[in-house]
Amino acid sequence: MIYRCPLCQQALSKEDKTWCCPSNHRFDCAKEGYVNLLPVQKKKSNDPGDNKEMMFARREFLNKGYYQDLSDKVNQLANEYLEGARFGLDIGCGEGYYSDRLVESLPSDFSLYGVDISKSALKYAAKRYPNISFSVASAFDMPFPDDSFDFMLRIYAPSLDVELKRVIKSGGILITVCAGPRHHFALKELIYDNPKEHTEDSSQIEGFELIHQERIEQELTLDDAADIGHFLKMTPYNWKLTEEQKLALAKSGLSCELDFKVEVFRAL
């Protein structure tokens, strides 16, 4: 497996701690071990993706195991469908929680790459999980050659169908996770007069066939104020809740629905 240059699409090769292409575009590895393949001219802001505060909140929350059942289900499906897979990609891998647990569940000859637009998240991920190859890049323009991966994982990360199809091998497996109808509905009821459920319809990804779908439904109950704060900061509803509402939840505790829609696709 090699990276491709985000500027000219030629293959990158590693010289010491620098990735470079035949046109001499060069990308240094950070001290933590990841490589930044998101050129300045392709950034939409100085520090795209989740900031340090959001990354820290998600890291602390996930490390408590509150979403472990989702991770376990992803790993179970990966082991069921990934016979003979050698190269995988976690799209929007964040701080690496799901990536690491996935690798630990698969055979030792499986190699995983993680890509995320947030440098803050990958600093933590690369330092903590050195057995995974992490790169800062956009999921809309991924720094990999065509037909690179047997398997891809996408948990909540936005992406382009054509780009997913480009980097996966024919017959490769894609596992996606998105919000089911009742996901976090109790929070929506605090914010909106007429909250709407997410769609229950199957996802459509051009160039892929859906081969499995299921939902994971649970009740999340949090009593610790720090855990509640971390949870709210990692959801989009954090910006909608008032400070008074957040304080009230921290005092009284929080209970809301978890509803994950997990789907398995095969590349055509």
Side-chain angles (χ1 to χ4, degrees):
M1 258 299 298
I2 55 173
Y3 291 110
R4 78 172 193 178
C5 178
L7 296 173
C8 67
Q9 283 71 60
Q10 297 182 88
L12 292 172
S13 57
K14 195 175 183 183
E15 299 176 1
D16 195 18
K17 295 183 178 180
T18 300
W19 288 91
C20 57
C21 72
S23 297
N24 205 34
H25 298 128
R26 305 176 72 83
F27 306 91
D28 293 332
C29 291
K31 63 181 180 180
E32 293 86 355
Y34 69 91
V35 58
N36 191 337
L37 297 176
L38 184 64
V40 173
Q41 54 268 49
K42 293 193 175 185
K43 289 184 180 181
K44 294 184 179 179
S45 66
N46 287 334
D47 189 20
D50 292 348
N51 59 34
K52 288 182 181 179
E53 184 181 30
M54 294 169 65
M55 186 280 297
F56 176 80
R58 187 172 62 240
R59 182 190 79 190
E60 294 299 298
F61 180 83
L62 291 176
N63 284 345
K64 287 286 190 77
Y66 291 117
Y67 280 13
Q68 184 173 320
D69 284 352
L70 170 61
S71 175
D72 288 343
K73 173 55 65 175
V74 166
N75 296 348
Q76 175 201 323
L77 291 171
N79 278 277
E80 182 177 344
Y81 286 97
L82 295 195
E83 186 176 350
R86 292 291 308 280
F87 296 105
L89 174 65
D90 187 354
I91 301 165
C93 62
E95 71 302 315
Y97 171 79
Y98 298 104
S99 312
D100 176 64
R101 297 194 83 247
L102 174 67
V103 164
E104 291 299 314
S105 78
L106 291 171
S108 58
D109 62 348
F110 180 82
S111 298
L112 185 66
Y113 288 70
V115 64
D116 200 284
I117 204 168
S118 169
K119 189 161 67 172
S120 296
L122 291 197
K123 280 184 177 181
Y124 174 83
K127 189 173 182 179
R128 184 165 186 183
Y129 310 120
N131 58 324
I132 301 170
S133 302
F134 292 103
S135 59
V136 178
S138 169
F140 294 91
D141 184 18
M142 293 189 278
F144 305 103
D146 298 356
D147 306 315
S148 290
F149 299 102
D150 309 292
F151 166 73
M152 298 193 302
L153 173 64
R154 187 189 69 183
I155 299 180
Y156 284 100
S159 59
L160 291 175
D161 291 3
V162 66
E163 189 67 352
L164 295 177
K165 185 66 170 66
R166 182 185 69 79
V167 300
I168 198 169
K169 296 176 182 176
S170 177
I173 295 297
L174 166 66
I175 297 179
T176 69
V177 179
C178 60
R182 299 289 298 177
H183 195 54
H184 297 167
F185 201 77
L187 288 181
K188 288 185 173 182
E189 291 180 310
L190 290 175
I191 298 167
Y192 304 110
D193 293 332
N194 297 295
K196 296 180 179 179
E197 293 186 348
H198 294 285
T199 181
E200 197 171 358
D201 295 343
S202 299
S203 303
Q204 304 285 326
I205 304 178
E206 188 173 351
F208 293 79
E209 62 171 334
L210 179 66
I211 57 176
H212 178 82
Q213 182 189 73
E214 62 182 283
R215 284 168 62 187
I216 302 173
E217 298 180 78
Q218 298 173 298
E219 189 74 14
L220 174 68
T221 301
L222 301 174
D223 299 314
D224 183 81
D227 290 348
I228 292 168
H230 294 149
F231 171 68
L232 293 177
K233 285 176 184 174
M234 61 176 264
T235 73
Y237 307 115
N238 187 52
W239 310 104
K240 303 282 187 178
L241 291 166
T242 66
E243 290 304 316
E244 290 76 14
Q245 287 174 314
K246 294 175 189 177
L247 286 171
L249 288 170
K251 275 188 178 181
S252 64
L254 182 152
S255 181
C256 75
E257 306 84 349
L258 299 181
D259 186 357
F260 301 106
K261 184 165 64 176
V262 185
E263 295 172 305
V264 183
F265 297 85
R266 180 178 286 114
L268 299 173

